[in-house]
Amino acid sequence: MGRGRRTLVAAALTTTVVTGTAGWAAGTEQIPVTGPPPGTASWRADHTLGTALPDPATARPAQVAAFFASMSATELRKLVRRHPGVVGNLDGAPITARYEANALALAAARDEERARAKDPELTSQDHELARSLITRYTELLVPGRQILAFDPRGRGQIAEVFGDLAGAKHVSVVVPGSDIDLGSFDRADKGYGTPVGMARSLRQTAGPGTAVVAWVGYTTPVGIGPDVATGRLAEAGAPRLARFVSGLTAAGTPKPSVFCHSYGSVVCGRAASRMPASDLIVLASPGMRADTVADLHTRARVWAAKDDNDWISKVPNVELFGLGHGPDPTAPEFGARRVPAKNATGHSGYFAPGTDSLRAFADIATGSAERHGAATGTGIREGVLS
């Protein structure tokens, strides 16, 4: 069978699988959150320092970092208090300033919802939503949580840090797949399938000197629908991811290892050429919208993991008329280094304690995979990393 015919058959199979099970109707088409953070208009109009502030929409993270480096501590505190929504999401701003700004932004958002919960002009459904957001924001304000980004627009976006990001020798970023947002990124009942569960597990295994960021900075697909089969949301999310990673390095962190789960690997594939990552690790990937590692145009080492029992293995690796995400990154011809995943269970078990995949991830995150001599050509020798 020729390549063109195989592609058509695979595309037809993809459509059959989707429409024959849950169908497109099971997924809700999402409107991606784009553009600069809330509060940008007042930030742009603020000339109290005698100069224009860096435009969140156009200033590069390195320019943002240079601007903040020129400020006094007093000036920085004033900006944090006057514009918490911008400073908290401004890539390149000092890490501790972002923590403080996001705490203020969360407290302000909670106050707004408290008022909405009592507003007699709103419906009972509005009151219920307000009460749920009050609970959510209160949870995020618990002392000790390090919120590096917070944007309440849409379904909500957030980034949380585990470890000492400012002083870490090694940094990792976890990029999730579908059905993740402000309300679900740390759900306890989802264990190691959430960004927080993955980040905590990786940080514990990698040990001191490592910081891990659970990043939910793009609008993820919901359910089974056109969003999961196309690159539309990935295209919208990729610039946000690239800017976020650039902001980390501009703020003084080492180049991070970026771990991309499921649909998150599509986002990472589109962002690869623009973000300063040391390693790019995709797991449970439906494809990266690239035929080979070379097509990613990245200097990062590229790794791939997939458990043979993961349902993602049943999804045809095609891309046709905008549907599908291309070749399997774990296929030898793709050229990624293979990460062992024999002990991982299902689609969300790659970061579970005791798995070979988690041990390998920790070695990659700390830069010890190469030192151990585990990388051989395009793969990791199974069983070497322990």
Side-chain angles (χ1 to χ4, degrees), residues 219-271:
T219 303
T220 68
V222 172
I224 300 174
D227 282 345
V228 298
T230 68
R232 185 177 65 90
L233 295 181
E235 292 290 349
R240 300 174 74 83
L241 175 60
R243 184 179 178 87
F244 178 79
V245 173
S246 295
L248 293 180
T249 57
T253 76
K255 287 184 180 180
S257 300
V258 183
F259 291 82
C260 318
H261 179 246
S262 196
Y263 189 86
S265 66
V266 186
V267 180
C268 289
R270 305 314 295 163

Side-chain angles (χ1 to χ4, degrees), residues 56 59-66 68 87-96 98-99 148-149 159 161 165-166 171 173 213 215 238-256 258 274-277:
R60 297 188 302 274
Q63 294 174 316
V64 172
F68 278 99
V87 176
N89 293 285
L90 195 55
D91 297 312
I95 292 165
T96 53
R98 291 182 68 168
Y99 292 158
L148 191 62
V161 176
L165 182 58
V171 172
V173 176
V213 186
W215 181 81
R240 300 174 74 83
L241 175 60
R243 184 179 178 87
F244 178 79
V245 173
S246 295
L248 293 180
T249 57
T253 76
K255 287 184 180 180
V258 183
R274 291 171 280 178
M275 62 180 177

Side-chain angles (χ1 to χ4, degrees), residues 14-192:
T14 301
T15 304
T16 301
V17 168
V18 173
T19 57
T21 54
W24 292 130
T28 304
E29 189 172 22
Q30 299 296 297
I31 300 175
V33 170
T34 57
T40 293
S42 358
W43 169 271
R44 286 170 173 159
D46 189 339
H47 292 85
T48 56
L49 295 181
T51 184
L53 305 179
D55 191 328
T58 59
R60 297 188 302 274
Q63 294 174 316
V64 172
F67 172 80
F68 278 99
S70 70
M71 297 175 61
S72 69
T74 300
E75 290 172 330
L76 176 57
R77 282 195 297 272
K78 285 181 180 178
L79 281 186
V80 167
R81 291 168 184 169
R82 287 171 64 86
H83 307 284
V86 173
V87 176
N89 293 285
L90 195 55
D91 297 312
I95 292 165
T96 53
R98 291 182 68 168
Y99 292 158
E100 182 182 353
N102 284 313
L104 292 172
L106 279 162
R110 183 175 60 180
D111 289 343
E112 290 178 10
E113 295 305 326
R114 282 173 172 166
R116 286 175 56 81
K118 298 177 181 178
D119 188 340
E121 307 236 346
L122 298 180
T123 67
S124 58
Q125 186 176 10
D126 291 330
H127 291 160
E128 183 179 354
L129 174 59
R131 287 191 293 269
S132 69
L133 287 173
I134 291 168
T135 300
R136 172 80 286 207
Y137 297 153
T138 299
E139 292 168 344
L140 295 173
L141 283 165
V142 169
R145 297 194 80 161
Q146 302 178 121
I147 306 302
L148 191 62
F150 164 64
D151 188 338
R153 294 178 297 172
R155 287 157 43 215
Q157 298 184 358
I158 194 159
E160 184 170 10
V161 176
F162 299 88
D164 177 13
L165 182 58
K169 294 180 179 178
H170 306 285
V171 172
S172 294
V173 176
V174 173
V175 180
S178 300
D179 300 306
I180 299 294
D181 52 33
L182 182 67
S184 62
F185 87 110
D186 59 350
R187 283 179 56 183
D189 62 331
K190 293 296 183 179
Y192 304 105

Side-chain angles (χ1 to χ4, degrees), residues 13 16 22 34 47 55 68 105 163 179 191 204 212 218 225 238 249 276 283 288 303 339 375 382 386:
L13 176 60
T16 301
T34 57
H47 292 85
D55 191 328
F68 278 99
D179 300 306
Q204 275 190 328
V212 185
Y218 81 104
T249 57
L283 48 142
M288 300 181 74
W303 312 74
V339 177
E382 305 228 358
S386 59

